[in-house]
Amino acid sequence: MATSSAAARTRSARGRRGARASGDDREAAILATAEKLLETVAFADISIDDLASGAGISRPTFYFYFASKDDVLLALLDRLVQRSETAIAGLTPSADAVREGWRDALGVYLDTFAAQRGVALACADARFRNERVRQVWDRATALWVDNTAAGIESERARGAAPAGRPARELAIALNAMNERVIYGVLAGTEPALSREQALDVLVDIWLAAIYLSPPQL
C-alpha cells in the first residue's frame, strides 16, 4: 500500500509539472508543422530548422525521429494514401445509382487530396527527383488501379457493363487521366477545371469507357 501511495504521489506531482511530450507527440508535431508549411511554402524551401522549431524541438532531436526532410514527406504521403483508402472503404455503392456511385468514389480521392493540398502537390513533384517517393506513389497508384479494375469487373459480372478492353488497361488509363486533372485542380494551373467541373467531366468519361454508352446511368 505504501508503494502504491508513493507511486500515486509521483504521478500527481508529474501531472502538476505538466506531462512531457512523448516520442509520438513529437513526431506528430513535426508532421503537422510540415503539413502546415507546405500550404504556403515550397518543399525545397523548407529547412530542417523550420520543421524542428515549428515542432518545438531542437535540430538534433529532429534527427531522432527522421533522417531527413524527405523522410517527413514520405510519412505524409503514407498518411495521405491511408486516408484516401479509409475514405473510399467507407462508401456504400448502390447498383441503382451507378453515376452517383462512381462520382462519389472520384470525389473521395479529389477531396482527400484537396484537404492536404500542399502535401499532395509536394509529393507529386518530388516523385520525379526522389526514388523512394516515386516508389510509394507507384504503389498507391497500383492500388487505385486494382480497385478500379475490380469495380469494372464487378459491373461486368452483374451485366451492367459490357465486355470490352481488359479492365486493368482501362483502369490504368482512367487513373492516369484522373491524376493529371486532379493535379490541375489542386495546383490551379491553366487550363484547369474547378472541382465540380472536374468531377462531372471525369465521371462522364469513366461511364463512357466502362459502359460503352452515353453517361445517362
Side-chain angles (χ1 to χ4, degrees):
M1 290 295 290
T3 301
S4 298
S5 297
R9 286 195 299 272
T10 299
R11 287 194 295 269
S12 177
R14 287 176 179 167
R16 287 196 298 271
R17 289 196 299 268
R20 295 178 60 187
S22 69
D24 288 345
D25 290 339
R26 289 172 176 171
E27 182 174 322
I30 293 169
L31 295 176
T33 298
E35 188 172 342
K36 183 177 180 180
L37 287 172
L38 284 170
E39 290 301 321
T40 56
V41 182
F43 181 69
D45 296 331
I46 297 174
S47 68
I48 298 296
D49 288 333
D50 292 332
L51 297 172
S53 62
I57 59 176
S58 67
R59 183 185 178 96
T61 301
F62 170 90
Y63 287 110
F64 184 81
Y65 300 99
F66 296 99
S68 68
K69 69 174 189 176
D70 280 347
D71 284 345
V72 175
L73 189 62
L74 281 166
L76 289 173
L77 176 56
D78 279 334
R79 190 164 66 177
L80 178 60
V81 172
Q82 290 169 6
R83 286 176 177 173
S84 69
E85 289 309 304
T86 298
I88 199 72
L91 292 180
T92 304
S94 170
D96 298 323
V98 174
R99 182 183 182 88
E100 290 79 1
W102 286 109
R103 195 177 194 279
D104 286 346
L106 294 174
V108 159
Y109 285 116
L110 195 159
D111 290 343
T112 301
F113 277 72
Q116 291 185 275
R117 174 183 170 277
V119 173
L121 292 176
C123 291
D125 294 337
R127 65 195 163 125
F128 296 111
R129 62 166 182 81
N130 186 303
E131 179 64 16
R132 290 187 300 158
V133 173
R134 186 191 65 77
Q135 289 174 355
V136 175
W137 189 281
D138 286 352
R139 285 197 297 271
T141 300
L143 180 60
W144 298 329
V145 166
D146 289 344
N147 289 343
T148 302
I152 295 172
E153 292 289 8
S154 177
E155 288 297 271
R156 289 176 176 178
R158 74 181 184 88
R165 298 198 62 82
R168 183 170 178 80
E169 291 182 7
L170 281 179
I172 290 172
L174 291 173
N175 277 276
M177 175 184 65
N178 278 14
E179 182 180 306
R180 185 63 190 89
V181 171
I182 290 174
Y183 182 92
V185 172
L186 299 184
T189 56
E190 293 296 340
L193 300 169
S194 68
R195 176 193 180 279
E196 293 305 310
Q197 290 171 333
L199 285 180
D200 286 340
V201 170
L202 287 174
V203 76
D204 281 354
I205 296 173
W206 275 56
L207 291 177
I210 295 169
Y211 299 94
L212 305 180
S213 61
Q216 271 90 39
L217 295 170

